[in-house]
Amino acid sequence: MIVSSALIIWKGLMCITGSESPVVVVLSESMEPGFQRGDILFLQMSKDPIRTGEIVVFNIQGRDIPIVHRVIEVHEQRQSGEVRILTKGDNNDVDDRMLYAQGQFWLKQEHIMGRAVGFLPYVGWATIIMTEKPIIKYILIGALGLLVITSKD
Amino acid sequence: MHSFGYRANALLTFAVTILALMCAIASLSDNLNTPSPSAQIEILNINWFQKQPHGNDEVSLTLNITADLQSLFTWNTKQLFIFVAAEYETPKNALNQVSLWDAIIPAKEFAKFSIHTSNKYRFIDQGHNLRSKEFNLTLHWHVMPKTGKMFANKIVMSGYRLPEDYR
């Protein structure tokens, strides 16, 4: 029951929010005290241009962990309508230029996976534990498998 | 149908559903709040205004920021993230927003304040368009809840102008 309802909710969220990964888990402390490790964020991606203050999730080329930081600078070009974005974690002293790819000084709208619009505390710890201690993941899957096999009907 | 496994499963699903519902209701209760924030920003001094070696203008300001944001806090508010951004346009860019200062307000008691500060983050243009530039200073706030939907809004204060020449 839990697994099927979780799957329905996940797919439903993907449709509603228009984003490929509608939920992310906060992995670092760079947005404390607002977001702690283990919180989950609900994302939404609309075509509205990114503005300062929004909390966005983006991927740096060559890294697979998405970064959740706040936008602190926006420059929107008149002719093309393209935006150049600079981000910074609330808890960091410096902006994210150091994190961007070599030679990249700004993010663009296409790098942004989504904006954080809502959040739930603590729920993401299950994902963190399973990623950092994969043995727990195996034990869990093993136990579930056992339950399926041994159930009477 | 009445085994321990089935009962435990049903109970757990029910508990998680109720928890999710409670979080949603907590978040919805934030809509009942009608906030009435106020703010004023004064530029006390232009500390310096220069053109950088690679051509971009940079200015350093001292600001006096006064605000009363107490009405934004609800029982479901964890903190308020506020920041002041300068907004202006240039021939090349339809919009520029540069964050000058930000702060986290952890509780209602701290939400009424008046501070003098120089800009925490550098005010650098993409180019050298800042001489005599008219700009707005906007105080933005983001309400970060204990659980649920985040709100954001702002007060735009216009009428600020940078000096005609570098100093």
Side-chain angles (χ1 to χ4, degrees):
Chain A
M1 255 188 274
I2 281 197
V3 173
S4 43
S5 35
L7 200 61
I8 294 175
I9 292 174
W10 180 262
K11 291 293 176 188
L13 272 174
M14 272 174 73
C15 281
I16 296 173
T17 64
S19 163
E20 275 181 21
S21 37
V23 176
V24 287
V25 179
V26 177
L27 295 169
S28 71
E29 299 123 14
S30 56
M31 285 295 280
E32 284 194 2
F35 302 143
Q36 323 266 1
R37 235 165 91 85
D39 295 340
I40 65 170
L41 294 174
F42 294 101
L43 303 183
Q44 211 180 37
M45 194 59 208
S46 68
K47 287 283 195 306
D48 294 339
I50 307 270
R51 295 290 178 237
T52 39
E54 294 178 348
I55 300 176
V56 294
V57 181
F58 58 93
N59 265 318
I60 302 289
Q61 272 172 322
R63 299 188 202 200
D64 38 50
I65 308 179
I67 303 183
V68 185
H69 281 175
R70 200 182 290 272
V71 175
I72 62 165
E73 253 187 64
V74 168
H75 296 276
E76 178 180 314
Q77 293 190 326
R78 220 180 262 284
Q79 290 213 325
S80 59
E82 266 186 21
V83 287
R84 298 265 190 288
I85 296 164
L86 181 61
T87 57
K88 174 182 164 298
D90 288 349
N91 207 22
N92 292 345
D93 289 328
V94 295
D95 57 42
D96 290 343
R97 282 231 164 87
M98 296 283 121
L99 292 176
Y100 299 161
Q102 188 73 283
Q104 181 188 8
F105 293 102
W106 306 97
L107 288 178
K108 299 198 192 162
Q109 187 110 3
E110 66 221 29
H111 294 127
I112 308 288
M113 280 163 47
R115 295 181 178 83
V117 294
F119 118 111
L120 273 180
Y122 308 122
V123 178
W125 267 114
T127 318
I128 292 185
I129 294 176
M130 289 205 281
T131 316
E132 298 192 352
K133 297 206 174 11
I135 183 112
I136 298 199
K137 191 164 44 173
Y138 299 135
I139 293 180
L140 218 63
I141 296 186
L144 273 166
L146 218 65
L147 253 151
V148 168
I149 296 175
T150 59
S151 62
K152 289 273 172 61
D153 36 328
Chain B
M1 201 61 226
H2 300 291
S3 72
F4 174 73
Y6 275 110
R7 284 179 175 172
N9 190 3
L11 190 62
L12 195 57
T13 312
F14 188 61
V16 171
T17 314
I18 296 287
L19 190 60
L21 249 133
M22 279 169 61
C23 286
I25 294 178
S27 182
L28 284 172
S29 77
D30 275 343
N31 291 340
L32 298 171
N33 186 30
T34 45
S36 51
S38 64
Q40 271 160 314
I41 306 183
E42 204 187 315
I43 299 188
L44 294 174
N45 190 30
I46 308 275
N47 304 331
W48 45 264
F49 183 11
Q50 278 165 19
K51 191 169 168 179
Q52 287 181 335
H54 20 262
N56 293 333
D57 278 353
E58 182 174 352
V59 60
S60 165
L61 317 151
T62 303
L63 304 167
N64 176 16
I65 306 171
T66 309
D68 179 2
L69 304 170
Q70 289 187 320
S71 56
L72 292 166
F73 274 86
T74 69
W75 67 283
N76 189 29
T77 305
K78 187 194 320 196
Q79 67 181 35
L80 220 54
F81 183 90
I82 62 174
F83 65 98
V84 171
E87 290 177 9
Y88 60 97
E89 52 171 20
T90 60
K92 186 173 155 217
N93 292 339
L95 174 68
N96 297 282
Q97 291 179 319
V98 181
S99 177
L100 298 178
W101 171 87
D102 57 31
I104 289 178
I105 304 184
K108 199 167 177 170
E109 301 83 69
F110 304 101
K112 190 167 178 178
F113 63 91
S114 177
I115 65 163
H116 281 212
T117 174
S118 57
N119 48 315
K120 201 168 166 187
Y121 305 115
R122 303 171 69 182
F123 187 168
I124 304 178
D125 184 31
Q126 275 191 335
H128 39 224
N129 306 296
L130 291 184
R131 275 165 295 173
S132 283
K133 178 56 71 183
E134 278 186 24
F135 61 101
N136 292 344
L137 282 174
T138 316
L139 178 69
H140 296 244
W141 58 86
H142 284 248
V143 180
M144 293 164 88
K146 296 202 173 97
T147 160
K149 185 165 184 290
M150 297 191 285
F151 297 89
N153 214 335
K154 60 188 182 183
I155 295 181
V156 182
M157 287 154 275
S158 52
Y160 302 92
R161 198 191 193 103
L162 286 173
E164 282 166 15
D165 237 332
Y166 299 124
R167 47 167 104 156

